[in-house]
């Protein structure tokens, strides 16, 4: 009888002490509202190093086949693949299997540039004259499978001059990460996919992650598609290059990946890369970071897909969307989640008061801009590049009202005065949304 009473007391205690985290309802309210407005389809996982606080899927991963999007649904993580590649290369270097500062040509003899190193590739500072994969369109049949080896062979045949001396400038390069992944494979005698599976995915229980096959027809199961305005806005067929992109993974597994680094930070991956001695906006491990290094993140974006992994010393946020999120939502979603986790009211998810800026008007951005904390940003006379802390980055189109800066993860927008002159610059990140004014003006 005494044992029975004890058991009942314990069970009763479990029932009475169980509480519901009030933040869950607030998170659900934000994402329910976004989904009902047609602004978010995908999956979100929020947690800390010990447990998942909240997770949920919204909408469909494949509309034609009526496949619901869940936290375990694998989607195209785009450039988040770079965080896996960098972690692998740095780990192999620590084991003496790779040398970050040796000519990568030792492993990739097809590469016609003897001064490029793995460190240059991971730092987006190689100067390789491949601005985008579109560069290869006129150089190979549209039906041909695009492997890293095939693209490298074309670069070797073309042997075009470098854009700049390696290590002296920043130029975001997914192809550079493809080459780093291929170098890792050749150094170990294992495939890139097998290396990721052995070192990361299996030990961390990441069961959804896989390198996408080159052809859509070879995909396992029903493929998650990207959409825009209810229509398919998909990634590209016949892509068999890996390293800079082309990893499919779920939001739940991105959370596992994020939490691992939350619990096991590696200094070599978090130190900012150096461009001609100046601090880059991206670490050698392919992580953006706050100035005080209390937050780290990386986004992925391709066609209809957008994904993010974000962490502080306390929290992990991971989401994948497949409905072509408005660029201003990319950061606003993270800021809203962080506010809720910290017990603060979430900021508005509405875009800032910015106006459209035609490509022909980009020169109106030229000059020095000052943020509230005194940080200076310098935009060249043509409005094509922006410099911070001695490193210059390209500014690329985002939407009618936004521009994007790879290397800083800035989303930019402008406000004009009554005469149509650009007078303020909006600078958005996952941490905050700020306004800058021209130097010499209040």
């Amino acid at each position: 009888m005494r044992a029975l009473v004890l058991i009942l007391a314990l069970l009763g205690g479990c029932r009475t002490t169980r509480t519901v985290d009030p933040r869950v309802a607030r998170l659900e309210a934000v994402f329910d509202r976004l989904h009902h407005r047609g602004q978010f389809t995908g999956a979100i996982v929020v947690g800390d190093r010990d447990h998942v606080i909240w997770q949920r899927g919204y909408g469909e991963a494949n509309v034609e086949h009526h496949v619901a999007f869940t936290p375990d649904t694998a989607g195209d993580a785009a450039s988040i693949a770079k965080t896996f590649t960098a972690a692998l290369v740095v780990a192999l270097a620590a084991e003496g299997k790779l040398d970050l500062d040796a000519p990568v040509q030792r492993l990739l003899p097809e590469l016609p540039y003897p001064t490029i190193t793995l460190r240059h590739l991971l730092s987006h500072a190689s100067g390789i004259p491949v601005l985008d994969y579109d560069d290869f369109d006129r150089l190979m049949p549209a039906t041909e499978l695009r492997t890293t080896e095939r693209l490298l062979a074309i670069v070797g045949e073309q042997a075009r001059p470098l854009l700049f001396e390696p290590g002296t400038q920043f130029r975001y390069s997914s192809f550079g990460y493809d080459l780093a992944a291929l170098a890792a494979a050749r150094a170990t005698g294992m495939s890139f996919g097998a290396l990721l599976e052995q070192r990361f995915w299996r030990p961390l229980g990441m069961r959804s992650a896989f390198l996408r096959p080159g052809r859509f027809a070879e995909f396992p199961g029903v493929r998650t598609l990207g959409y825009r305005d209810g229509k398919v806005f998909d990634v590209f067929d016949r892509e068999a290059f890996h390293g800079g992109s082309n990893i499919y993974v779920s939001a739940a597994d991105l959370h596992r990946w994020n939490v691992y680094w939350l619990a096991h930070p590696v200094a070599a991956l978090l130190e900012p890369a150096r461009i001609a001695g100046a601090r880059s906006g991206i670490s050698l491990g392919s992580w953006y970071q706050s100035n005080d290094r209390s937050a780290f993140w990386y986004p992925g974006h391709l066609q209809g897909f957008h994904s993010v992994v974000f962490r502080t010393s306390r929290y992990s946020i991971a989401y994948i969307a497949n409905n072509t999120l408005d660029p201003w939502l990319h950061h606003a979603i993270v800021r809203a989640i962080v506010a809720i986790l910290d017990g603060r009211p979430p900021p508005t998810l509405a875009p800032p008061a910015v106006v459209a800026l035609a490509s022909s008007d980009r020169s109106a951005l030229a000059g020095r801009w000052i943020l509230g904390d005194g940080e200076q940003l310098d935009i060249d006379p043509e409005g094509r590049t922006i410099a911070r802390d001695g490193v210059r980055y390209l500014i690329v189109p985002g939407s009618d009202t936004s521009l994007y800066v790879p290397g800083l993860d800035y989303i930019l927008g402008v406000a004009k005065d009554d005469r149509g002159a650009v007078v303020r610059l909006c600078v958005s990140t996952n941490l905050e949304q700020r306004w800058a004014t021209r130097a010499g003006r209040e």
Side-chain angles (χ1 to χ4, degrees), residues 26 335-336 338-340 342-348:
R26 299 183 188 120
R335 294 195 299 264
V338 171
I340 291 171
D342 286 341
R344 295 180 283 113
T348 177

Side-chain angles (χ1 to χ4, degrees), residues 62-100:
N62 187 300
V63 174
E64 179 184 357
H65 293 277
H66 304 291
V67 176
F69 217 126
T70 77
D72 294 314
T73 301
D76 195 313
S79 284
I80 289 179
K82 294 178 177 68
T83 66
F84 293 97
T85 302
L88 173 65
V89 170
V90 170
L92 292 174
E95 297 168 8
K97 296 175 182 177
L98 286 174
D99 185 341
L100 295 180

Side-chain angles (χ1 to χ4, degrees), residues 27 44-48 51-55 255 316-318 337 341:
L27 290 167
I44 174 80
V45 178
V46 178
D48 54 34
H51 69 290
V52 171
I53 296 171
W54 177 70
Q55 59 180 334
H255 169 70
S316 165
I317 298 168
I337 295 172
L341 293 176

Side-chain angles (χ1 to χ4, degrees), residues 149-191:
E149 292 90 339
R150 179 70 180 102
L151 301 184
L152 174 57
I154 292 175
V155 170
E157 294 164 3
Q158 296 283 307
R160 293 185 290 166
L162 289 170
L163 298 174
F164 49 82
E165 180 184 346
T168 63
Q169 297 183 39
F170 181 98
R171 184 64 63 89
Y172 194 90
S173 174
S174 290
F175 181 62
Y177 268 71
D178 297 338
L179 296 182
L182 180 58
R186 289 186 177 178
T188 59
M190 297 175 63
S191 71

Side-chain angles (χ1 to χ4, degrees), residues 330-361:
H330 295 177
H331 295 149
I333 284 175
V334 174
R335 294 195 299 264
I337 295 172
V338 171
I340 291 171
L341 293 176
D342 286 341
R344 295 180 283 113
T348 177
L349 294 177
V354 293
V355 298
L357 185 72
S359 178
S360 57
D361 294 333

